[in-house]
Amino acid sequence: QALSQAFQRFDNNGDGKIQADEFHKLMNNIGGFSSNEISKLFGDADTDGSGSVDWREFIHWVCSGKATKDMSSSAAKSFARLLSREAATEASFLKEAMISH
């Protein structure tokens, strides 16, 4: 679920694919990345060269470790914060749902 929520944060227009501009925008907002690093990361994630990253590519990119492999330590920490924030939001929601029932 946390990965799904992270994917949705990247996919601003909700078309099921992360476009290069969506990726750049969120990575810039996270901070700690140069424009060249963001372009390289997007290229690493876009394994089929389509110009967008679909759910399958995103999962493979994150779970294979490629997402953080070439990042600086500060950039990797920023990216990890994004993923952990999504996981914390999900955990908080589940806790609230369990308390309400």
Side-chain angles (χ1 to χ4, degrees):
Q1 282 285 31
L3 285 176
S4 175
Q5 290 171 349
F7 182 85
Q8 290 170 5
R9 287 200 43 171
F10 277 98
D11 181 19
N12 285 335
N13 67 6
D15 68 352
K17 296 178 181 176
I18 302 167
Q19 307 302 324
D21 62 327
E22 293 171 321
F23 189 85
H24 277 262
K25 187 175 185 178
L26 184 59
M27 295 302 271
N28 276 325
N29 288 341
I30 291 171
F33 301 95
S34 71
S35 183
N36 287 342
E37 286 175 314
I38 294 172
S39 293
K40 183 182 179 329
L41 290 169
F42 186 79
D44 290 346
D46 181 20
T47 57
D48 66 4
S50 66
S52 62
V53 176
D54 63 22
W55 172 245
R56 181 190 55 77
E57 290 172 308
F58 182 77
I59 290 294
H60 179 70
W61 180 64
V62 172
C63 294
S64 69
K66 289 182 181 181
T68 56
K69 182 179 72 127
D70 295 324
M71 287 183 190
S72 67
S73 65
S74 65
K77 287 177 186 174
S78 294
F79 188 73
R81 275 196 306 274
L82 167 71
L83 296 180
S84 64
R85 185 169 49 236
E86 296 303 332
T89 300
E90 178 183 339
S92 175
F93 171 79
L94 290 175
K95 184 177 178 182
E96 288 294 319
M98 292 176 77
I99 290 172
S100 330
H101 287 84

